[in-house]
Amino acid sequence: MRSFEYASPTSREDAVNLLAENPGQAVILAGGTDLLSLMKDDVETPARIVSLKAITDLGGLDSSSTGLRIGPLVTLDELAGHAEVKEHYPSLVQAALGVRSPQLRSMGTVAGELCQRPRCWYYRGGFGLLGRHEGKSLVTAGENRYHAILGNAGPAYFVSPSSLAPALVALGARIKLLGPKGDRELPLETFFRIPKAEGEREHDLGADEIVTDILVPPAAGPNATYEVRQKEALDWPLAAAAVALEMNGSRVKSARVVLGHVAPTPWVAAEAAKALRGKAPDEAAGDAAGRAAVKGARPLSHNQYKIRLARVAVKRATLRATGKEV
Amino acid sequence: MGAELFSSKQMCRRLRTKTMFYQSEPDPSVPPSNDNSFWCTHSMNCMGPDGEVAEPKMCLPGRGCFESV
């Protein structure tokens, strides 16, 4: 690891100023669970680290009639253990507990989980976010078994690594950011984006901005996350789905279905939501939604299997949301 | 065969083995061995991009795909 300057501001504004003074050379430290490994691998070589840990109002989890405000420094364990979250947003609890390492849940923060960098081994091996070498993609010609099956027209083939993002996007969450020009708020769905060139990032957080709030509206109905994993120990899921339903009696009035770990962003499956509308959320409807969710999937040479996993994840998340444990 | 081997400037920077990531100090009473699994971060495979095996004795200067540290 290379030497760096460490700053520990106590206000949001100071944090933004410290980032803006050194554009592109300063990085944010929250839980540090991703950043430190990136630095050890020489993928990130910041000149300055701006720790947010001393900014107390970036923590806290508040529930009110307008929904949930999650401070960016709330840890995954705090989120999963919060009584209101457990009662109304089980999809968030299931996603947070999907991070199987107690140490990571204890240190890792919600904003850090959302902004963690992709796990693509070409990126982590130093070939850049797009995994290119001598003008060619290493992913399409190489080991792509864990890469994207959706949103993979190129040049980005990595998958969004966040487990919380699908659940939050399905719940209609918004994110607030603060930069030198003031704050801005946007739907979490549009916060994530697919980079088109090396140097672009996979989300919309500027180099001189920080996350200040994650805002989740009141849950309209049952919701759940289901992850398909290679092993139950610490690992990222192979495919995941989050489902948020609004019910009209025993039938689905409206639905949001979001896939995780199968595309460079959390993938909103509008066709799957449409397939659930007006139906009882049973196995047949869940299966139809799963098939609709992966209708546009285009597997790479080694990841055809992920199509079925994503399909099953949607079905099982639908069943889990309505209390049918799978 | 652990981190000490990989501190060699002669080794290709794309070669990896799990022992590189161990946090423990090497035990001098345990003789080095070459029974680990190695992989190349260019090909993400036990074979390098040139189709030859990725392992310490092969991933040396002179090989076409060699990258210095």
Side-chain angles (χ1 to χ4, degrees), chain A residues 217-286:
Chain A
N223 53 83
T225 294
Y226 190 91
E227 298 178 341
V228 184
R229 328 174 63 85
Q230 194 157 28
K231 58 184 181 182
E232 287 301 307
L234 169 64
D235 203 355
W236 277 255
L238 296 168
V243 170
L245 306 175
E246 185 179 358
M247 301 298 290
N248 183 8
S250 61
R251 294 189 175 270
V252 175
K253 184 179 173 192
S254 68
R256 293 263 295 170
V257 180
V258 184
L259 301 177
H261 307 277
V262 293
T265 63
W267 192 259
V268 178
E271 289 297 314
K274 199 172 155 190
L276 286 173
R277 215 172 296 146
K279 308 267 174 39
D282 55 15
E283 192 155 344

Side-chain angles (χ1 to χ4, degrees), chain B residues 13-56:
Chain B
R13 72 188 186 98
R14 296 288 171 202
L15 187 64
R16 294 287 187 281
T17 184
K18 281 179 95 172
T19 51
M20 289 174 68
F21 304 101
Y22 292 178
Q23 298 286 314
S24 58
E25 292 290 318
D27 180 350
S29 67
V30 178
S33 71
N34 191 14
D35 58 358
N36 291 353
S37 296
F38 296 92
W39 73 94
C40 166
T41 62
H42 190 149
S43 59
M44 279 301 160
N45 203 302
C46 57
M47 313 295 275
D50 59 356
E52 298 293 331
V53 174
E55 64 103 33

Side-chain angles (χ1 to χ4, degrees), chain A residues 14 43 113 116 133 158 165 187 210 240 263 313:
Chain A
D14 285 350
V43 177
E113 207 279 340
Q116 65 178 304
H133 184 67
F158 61 83
I210 61 170

